[in-house]
Amino acid sequence: MARKMLQFTKLDQRTPDKRSAGTRRVDFDEIYGRFTPDAAGDQASRCEQCGIPFCQIHCPLQNNIPDWLMLTAAGRLEEAYALSSATNSMPEICGRICPQDRLCEGSCVLEQSRHGAVTIGAVEKFITDTAWERGWVKPILPLREREQSVGIIGGGPAGMAAAEQLRAQGYQVTLYDRYDRIGGLLVYGIPGFKLEKSVVERRVDLLARSGVIFKTNFEVGRDATLPELRKAHDAVLIATGVYKARGLSIPGAGLRGVTKALDYLIASNRTGLGDRVAAFEDGTLDAKDKAVVVIGGGDTAMDCLRTAIRQGARSVKCLYRRDRANMPGSQREVINAVEEGVDFVWLTAPEAVLGDERATGVRAHRMHLGVADATGRQSPQPIAGSEFTLEADLVIEALGFEPEDLPAVFGEPRLPITRWGTIQIDPVSKMSGLDGVFAAGDIVRGASLVVWAVRDGRDAAEGIRRYLVAKAAAAPAKAAPLVNA
Ligand SMILES: Cc1cc2nc3c(=O)[nH]c(=O)nc-3n(C[C@H](O)[C@H](O)[C@H](O)COP(=O)(O)OP(=O)(O)OC[C@H]3O[C@@H](n4cnc5c(N)ncnc54)[C@H](O)[C@@H]3O)c2cc1C
Ligand code: SF4
C-alpha cells in the first residue's frame, strides 16, 4: 500500500512490541518483536524527508535512510532492501544493536522537535529480516574471479564486512580467527537477548556460500606470524578487536568470585550455543542464586547485569562512579535493565573486595561529580566517610578493554602502533606502515561499536582494492603468446 510521507502529525511514534520483563527475565531470546508490514509502513511514513537528512549524516555508514523509509512506506520493500544493503553489510544486525538514540534516531529532526524520532533501527531490521525470509539476500557471485588473495585476521564485524566487499570484487579471501566460530563479539560478547545467534550465523553462512574461506581455531601469533601471512597473501587486514580487559586495582581483586566481564559473557554465550563450559558447570561463571555486583557503566556492564538476571541471581547490582546522565551505556539498555530487576547504585566506587578466599562483599564509597575537566566531563570525587558494604559472591569487572601487544603477539616488531596500543593507519588508504598490511575496527579506534567496525571494514576493503589494482598494474606484464606458435 502506498502511503503519503510526513505523517508525523497524525501518527505517533511506535516501537515494535517489547516482551514483558517477567517473560524475558527467564530466557535469552530477543526482547523486541518485529513490526508487521503495516506498522513498518506507517512508522516509515512519519519521516519528514528533510532537505538535510541529519539521520544520514549521523549514521556512521551514511545510510540513505530517507529514501529507504520512503520505499518502505510505499510498500516497495525489495527496493528498500537493495538501497539499505548498498551501504551496510549487516543492516539487520545494526537495526537491532546500534545505539540509535546516540546516532540516527537521536539526530532525527522529529526527535529534536519533540515529535519522537522515526524508529529507523526497527524499520531497518524489518526490511532486512523480510529480505532474508523472501530470499532476496543472495550469496555474492563476483563478475570476475581474481587471483590476488587477501588474508583477514579476525572474523568480527570489521573482518566480515571487509570479506564481503572484497569477494564482491572477486578477490580470494581467507578469514582467520582464533575462536571456533566466526562473528567475534557478535557471537561471544553480545548476549542473545540483544542479538540472537541465528541472526549472526546466517550472515556467516552467506559469506561461506560467497566463497570466503574460514580458518577457525587459527591464532595468528601461535599458528602463523604476520610475516608468514604477508608471504601467503597479496594483502593482509588486521581486524582483531581489543581484548585486554582492564581490571580492578583494589584489595581483594584477586579473590575467587571476582571475574572479568568477557569471560563471564563468553561462558554464558557458549552455554546458550550448546557448548559445555567447565567454569559454568562448576558454578564459577554461573550467577544462579548469587549476589552479583557488576562494576562499570558501559554496554558490557549492562549485558553482564541482564545476563545475571536471566541466570537466576539472588540480587544484581551495578556500581558506577558517575550518575545516570553521565554513563557511557545506552539509556535504552538502562531502562531495560531496570525493568528486569537490576538495581543501579549510582555515584559509587569500589574500595575493596571483601572475603578470605572467596568474595563475600564489596566495600564502596559514595562519589559526587566535581568540576568539569578539559573534555567537559565532570570528574567523580569521593565523599569522605561515606563507606558502606554490599553483599557479593560474584563480582564482575566491566571496566573496558585495551589492545593486546600486537607487534609482540604477531612476531612483527615493525607494526606501527599508537600510544594507546591501537594500530596506526593512514586515514585515507587504511594501510599501516607495513606495505600491504591494513587494519580496521576496534583495533584501530579502540572499543567502539559494531556499526563503526562495519564502516571501517568496508573502507579498508576499498583501500585494499586500490592497493591490489596498483600492485597488479605494476607487476611485470606476462609475455604475449606468439601468434601461430
Ligand atoms: C559485551 C559487549 C557488548 C557490546 N554491545 C554492543 C552493542 O550493543 N552495540 C554495538 O554497536 N556494539 C557493541 N559492542 C561493541 C562491538 O561488539 C565491537 O565494537 C565490535 O564487535 C568490534 O568489531 P571488530 O570486528 O573490530 O572486533 P571483534 O568483534 O572483537 O572481532 C575480532 C575477532 O578477531 C579475533 N582475533 C583476535 N586476535 C586474533 C588472533 N591473534 N588471531 C586470530 N584471530 C584473532 C577474535 O577472536 C574475534 O573474533 C559490545 C561489546 C561488548 C564487549
Ligand atoms: S546503521 Fe545504525 S546508525 Fe545507521 S541507520 Fe542503521 S541503526 Fe541507524
Side-chain angles (χ1 to χ4, degrees):
M1 170 180 114
R3 293 173 179 77
K4 287 186 181 161
M5 299 303 287
L6 283 88
Q7 296 302 301
F8 64 94
T9 53
K10 298 188 190 130
L11 294 173
D12 287 338
Q13 182 197 56
R14 264 197 51 205
T15 52
D17 291 339
K18 186 159 72 164
R19 294 163 62 214
S20 74
T23 58
R24 61 187 207 242
R25 278 169 60 106
V26 293
D27 65 37
F28 283 81
D29 297 344
E30 284 180 12
I31 71 165
Y32 292 100
R34 196 166 106 193
F35 278 142
T36 60
D38 271 348
D42 284 349
Q43 289 300 305
S45 76
R46 295 181 66 246
C47 173
E48 221 187 328
Q49 300 283 287
C50 309
I52 300 176
F54 292 103
C55 56
Q56 180 169 3
I57 293 167
H58 289 273
C59 164
L61 292 160
Q62 265 83 64
N63 282 341
N64 191 343
I65 301 164
D67 282 4
W68 49 252
L69 287 174
M70 188 263 290
L71 289 165
T72 306
R76 292 160 58 184
L77 288 182
E78 194 165 358
E79 291 160 87
Y81 164 69
L83 202 55
S84 89
S85 59
T87 49
N88 193 345
S89 306
M90 43 188 81
E92 74 285 18
I93 294 178
C94 292
R96 281 171 165 84
I97 59 168
C98 270
Q100 285 100 8
D101 50 349
R102 285 190 264 143
L103 301 171
C104 54
E105 293 181 17
S107 322
C108 173
V109 167
L110 295 186
E111 183 70 14
Q112 303 301 327
S113 60
R114 303 202 185 152
H115 288 87
V118 179
T119 45
I120 298 167
V123 175
E124 189 177 28
K125 170 184 158 189
F126 166 80
I127 295 168
T128 320
D129 281 348
T130 306
W132 278 100
E133 279 160 20
R134 301 210 187 155
W136 302 334
V137 186
K138 300 243 168 42
I140 296 160
L141 202 58
L143 284 177
R144 62 175 271 209
E145 290 290 347
R146 296 171 203 267
E147 279 179 12
Q148 288 166 303
S149 81
V150 183
I152 299 179
I153 313 170
M160 288 173 71
E164 181 215 47
Q165 294 293 298
L166 289 163
R167 270 308 290 148
Q169 295 292 329
Y171 293 109
Q172 308 310 310
V173 178
T174 304
L175 217 157
Y176 302 89
D177 203 293
R178 63 184 172 191
Y179 285 143
D180 52 347
R181 292 181 176 90
I182 297 294
L185 290 172
L186 300 177
V187 175
Y188 286 130
I190 300 172
F193 50 82
K194 277 165 55 181
L195 175 64
E196 280 173 16
K197 304 300 160 196
S198 56
V199 176
V200 184
E201 280 163 5
R202 68 185 176 189
R203 275 280 158 207
V204 174
D205 179 54
L206 189 77
L207 285 181
R209 288 190 286 133
S210 301
V212 176
I213 295 164
F214 298 144
K215 289 207 187 291
T216 49
N217 295 312
F218 190 108
E219 182 165 341
V220 178
R222 182 194 63 191
D223 300 311
T225 60
L226 180 58
E228 283 164 351
L229 282 195
R230 288 178 76 193
K231 277 199 198 117
H233 297 285
D234 296 283
V236 173
L237 174 67
I238 303 174
T240 48
V242 288
Y243 283 88
K244 201 166 91 188
R246 289 190 200 114
L248 288 167
S249 49
I250 54 175
L255 289 174
R256 274 170 52 213
V258 180
T259 188
K260 303 252 183 290
L262 205 52
D263 292 344
Y264 174 67
L265 290 173
I266 290 174
S268 172
N269 279 314
R270 277 196 179 283
T271 306
L273 283 159
D275 297 353
R276 297 201 66 174
V277 181
F280 182 84
E281 287 175 7
D282 71 13
T284 311
L285 296 179
D286 184 359
K288 189 166 170 39
D289 297 330
K290 290 185 180 157
V292 178
V293 170
V294 177
I295 298 169
D299 282 331
T300 305
M302 298 306 116
D303 290 349
C304 293
L305 293 159
R306 298 176 65 204
T307 296
I309 291 276
R310 283 159 175 79
Q311 289 177 347
R314 193 163 77 243
S315 66
V316 182
K317 290 190 167 54
C318 178
L319 239 65
Y320 182 55
R321 62 197 181 127
R322 292 190 159 91
D323 60 6
R324 181 169 179 161
N326 285 289
M327 65 180 298
S330 156
Q331 288 299 325
R332 181 179 65 183
E333 296 308 305
V334 181
I335 292 168
N336 288 334
V338 170
E339 286 172 358
E340 289 164 11
V342 172
D343 187 3
F344 283 87
V345 191
W346 305 113
L347 290 165
T348 304
E351 224 172 67
V353 181
L354 309 174
D356 291 331
E357 279 183 21
R358 282 205 61 90
T360 55
V362 173
R363 194 172 65 234
H365 53 254
R366 301 281 181 200
M367 312 287 283
H368 73 93
L369 292 180
V371 287
D373 62 17
T375 65
R377 216 163 173 224
Q378 288 175 281
S379 53
Q381 310 287 337
I383 300 176
S386 64
E387 292 77 12
F388 65 103
T389 300
L390 288 164
E391 179 198 18
D393 37 26
L394 180 60
V395 179
I396 303 175
E397 304 163 294
L399 301 166
F401 303 94
E402 288 167 7
E404 290 156 277
D405 182 357
L406 281 196
V409 171
F410 280 2
E412 179 46 281
R414 292 172 306 149
L415 181 68
I417 54 169
T418 65
R419 64 191 165 107
W420 299 281
T422 49
I423 297 182
Q424 200 164 27
I425 54 168
D426 176 85
V428 178
S429 70
K430 312 297 175 190
M431 190 157 83
S432 72
L434 295 179
D435 186 54
V437 177
F438 296 75
D442 280 5
I443 192 57
V444 172
R445 49 175 83 238
S448 179
L449 293 173
V450 168
V451 64
W452 278 115
V454 172
R455 170 68 195 262
D456 291 348
R458 293 172 67 96
D459 286 353
E462 175 56 15
I464 293 170
R465 185 193 68 78
R466 286 185 198 183
Y467 171 82
L468 292 179
V469 167
K471 193 170 171 177
K478 283 187 187 147
L482 291 175
V483 182
N484 298 330

